[in-house]
Amino acid sequence: MAANFWTSSHYKHLLDQEDVDMVNPLDKEKGVTLEDFKLIKIHMANYILKLAQQVKVRQRVVATAVTYMRRVYTRKSLTEYDPRLVAPTCLYLASKAEESTVQARLLVFYIKKLYADDKYRCEIKDILEMEMKILEALNYYLVVFHPYRSLSQLLQDAGLNDISMTQLTWGIVNDTYKMDLILVHPPHLIALACIYIASVLRDKDTTVWFEELRVDMNVVKNISMEILDFYESNKMFTDDRINAALQKLALRP
C-alpha cells in the first residue's frame, strides 16, 4: 500500500490545510464564509451518501465520490460549479473509476424521487456535461487511496479485529469523509487516528503497539483531535444553517 501511495498522484497532490480552507473569491463576493463552505461540503457529502444508498454502490465508491467533490472545490468555486449537480456527477464518475458503474439515468431518477426541490433536479445531459468539467478541474487525476485499504490489516496486527472494534473504527473512517482529511493526510495515518480514537473509547491499551509502529504520534493525535472536534461541532450543523449557506449562492433560481 505504502509503496503505491507514495508514488501516486494522490500523494503528489496532498494539500496544506490552509489551501483546503480557502474560500474562492467568487464565493466570497456572495458572502460565503469558511463556515458556510464547510457546511455546504458536508451537506453534499451526505447527499452523495443518500444517493449512493439508493443505487446500491459500495462505500469505497461513496468515499471516492466525496474525495472528488472536495478536490474540485480546492480549484473551482461553488458559484461556477453548482454543488447540487457536482455531487451526483462525482458519484457517477467515481462509480466508473471504481468499476461499479451506475447509469446516469438511474441517478436522475433517484434525484427526482429524493428531492422535491427543483434546484436539485437535473437531466442526463447535465451530468454528462458536468462530468467533463469535473475531469478538467481534477486534471484527470482520479486515483484515490482510502484508509479502508490499510484499516483491516492494522486492526489485525494490533489484535483489535473483533466485530465491535472493526465496526466502530470503520464508522469513524466513514465520518472522516465529512471533513477534508483525505486531501491533507496520507490515508494510513487517518486509519491509525481512527484506531486510536476507537481504542480509547473501548478502553484498549495500544501504547506499545503504536510505539512499535514508529509513526509520529503527534500527527496521529492531531488528526484524532480534528475528528473529535468535528464530532463536537457537528451538533451545530442544523438544516437551517446549511440552507442559509446555500441561499447565499442563489444557485439556479
Side-chain angles (χ1 to χ4, degrees), residues 71-122:
R71 282 180 178 175
V72 165
Y73 290 120
T74 63
R75 301 181 178 197
K76 302 296 180 180
S77 70
L78 295 161
T79 303
E80 294 175 299
Y81 283 60
D82 184 342
R84 288 168 289 211
L85 179 56
V86 167
T89 306
C90 284
L91 182 59
Y92 175 66
L93 181 58
S95 75
K96 294 199 288 186
E98 297 292 350
E99 299 181 349
S100 300
T101 304
V102 174
Q103 294 183 358
R105 64 177 179 81
L106 197 60
L107 292 172
V108 170
F109 170 78
Y110 280 112
I111 290 168
K112 291 177 179 177
K113 185 177 178 181
L114 287 170
Y115 292 95
D117 188 345
D118 287 341
K119 292 177 183 177
Y120 281 87
R121 299 196 173 197
C122 60

